[in-house]
Amino acid sequence: MERSDVQPSKTPDTDSVSARADFLGTRFEGRIRTTDFAGKTFLECTFSNCAIRDADFTDAQFIRTTFTHTALVDATFDRALFSGCRAADCDFSYAGAAHTRIEHAAFERVTFLGSTFWQASLNDVSLLDSSFEKGTFREMHGFPEFLR
C-alpha cells in the first residue's frame, strides 16, 4: 500500500482550545512514569519514542497531537477525543476506548492487539497498515466494515 498523505483538518479552533490546554506543544519522550492523564487536554503535543503503561486518558482530548514510535499499552481512552492527530509505528495494544471519538486522523502501522472499541466513533480516519488482531468492536460508528 502507498503511504498515506491524509492531512488532518477541520479540528477545533486553536485559540479556544489553547486557553484550556493542560499541555500545549509539549514533547513527551522516553519512559513516562505518570499515568493519570484523565481529563487532560493535549494541544499540538508530540509523543516520540515514548512508553507509558496502564495510563488513564479517560475524558482526555488530543488535538493535532503526534505519536511516533510510542507504546501506550493497557491505556484507557474512554470518552477521549482524538482530533487532527497522527500516529505512526505505535503500539496501542490492550487499550480500552469506550465512547471515544476519533476524527480527521491518520494511524499508520499502529498495533491495536486486543484493544476494545465500544460505541466509538470514527470520522475521516486513515488506518494504513494498522493491525487489530483479537480486538473487540461493538456498536461502532464510521468503523471500516471489514473490522466489524
Side-chain angles (χ1 to χ4, degrees), residues 109-113 127-133 147:
R109 298 171 307 281
V110 176
T111 300
F112 294 96
L113 174 70
L127 300 167
L128 186 63
D129 293 328
S130 293
S131 62
F132 295 85
E133 291 181 45
L147 290 173

Side-chain angles (χ1 to χ4, degrees), residues 50-129:
C50 195
I52 307 174
R53 190 164 190 86
D54 298 315
D56 183 4
F57 292 101
T58 300
D59 295 314
Q61 294 186 46
F62 299 91
I63 313 297
R64 290 184 300 281
T65 292
T66 303
F67 303 85
T68 54
H69 302 283
T70 292
L72 295 172
V73 177
D74 289 315
T76 301
F77 295 102
D78 294 348
R79 295 179 310 277
L81 167 67
F82 291 84
S83 184
C85 295
R86 298 184 67 82
D89 303 303
C90 293
D91 186 358
F92 288 11
S93 292
Y94 304 102
H99 303 280
T100 298
R101 228 172 63 218
I102 305 170
E103 58 191 28
H104 316 297
F107 292 84
E108 297 181 23
R109 298 171 307 281
V110 176
T111 300
F112 294 96
L113 174 70
S115 294
T116 301
F117 293 86
W118 184 65
Q119 291 187 343
S121 175
L122 280 75
N123 178 29
D124 188 26
V125 176
S126 170
L127 300 167
L128 186 63
D129 293 328

